[in-house]
Amino acid sequence: MSKKLQVVHTAELAVTFDPNICMHSGVCIRGLPAVFDGSRADWIHPGAAPAEAVQALVARCPSGALQSVRAGHPPAKLAAGSAATVVFTSDGPALIRGTLDLELPTGTKLRRDGPVAFCRCGQTKNDPYCDGSHGRAGFRSPR
């Protein structure tokens, strides 16, 4: 079942969160706990830090679940035809950056621009995306 995209904005910045692709790395919560606080139902408060700091942290989201757009600035686009890069993390997901055309096992086709994290441990409840299960499962990368 698909979860709803969350959108939160201030006069300076819009932040979106796609829970369907979040790998629960905690980069957001550890990086700006005043902005991202998982103990609150409305867990994203972009006005709790300068817009530049929020945008810089959102750019570090490894799965691309968090995105941001500054008011008055068009969203950043990847160059057409840019090659995708794949990074196999140690004991974790494959992180892919670039433009991807995906065809899911359900037959759904979609295009992703930006980072996405694919499961390598086989334990995710959100196939093919990483949901952080590798940590609980004790997954270890082949050496």
Side-chain angles (χ1 to χ4, degrees):
M1 173 185 259
S2 186
K3 297 176 186 172
K4 185 178 173 186
L5 181 74
Q6 298 172 24
V7 181
V8 183
H9 55 85
T10 66
E12 294 182 75
L13 184 69
V15 176
T16 62
F17 172 67
D18 185 346
N20 299 296
I21 62 171
C22 181
M23 65 179 268
H24 306 287
S25 70
V27 167
C28 54
I29 292 170
R30 285 189 310 276
L32 285 174
V35 175
F36 302 99
D37 182 349
S39 69
R40 300 183 306 230
D42 60 338
W43 73 285
I44 303 172
H45 288 222
E52 296 82 14
V54 175
Q55 195 164 35
L57 182 92
V58 165
R60 292 180 30 220
C61 177
S63 67
L66 285 168
Q67 298 287 316
S68 66
V69 178
R70 293 287 301 271
H73 296 85
K77 294 284 184 188
L78 297 172
S82 62
T85 13
V86 181
V87 176
F88 290 91
T89 64
S90 179
D91 305 331
L95 301 177
I96 302 171
R97 297 188 187 283
T99 301
L100 302 171
D101 290 318
L102 303 174
E103 185 170 339
L104 301 178
T106 60
T108 301
K109 295 179 182 183
L110 40 104
R111 174 165 280 201
R112 287 290 314 249
D113 287 322
V116 64
F118 287 117
C119 176
R120 291 196 307 146
C121 74
Q123 301 301 309
T124 185
K125 303 289 187 277
N126 192 27
D127 189 42
Y129 304 107
C130 175
D131 67 1
S133 294
H134 55 274
R136 293 182 296 284
F139 173 74
R140 296 290 174 251
S141 302
R143 304 282 183 237

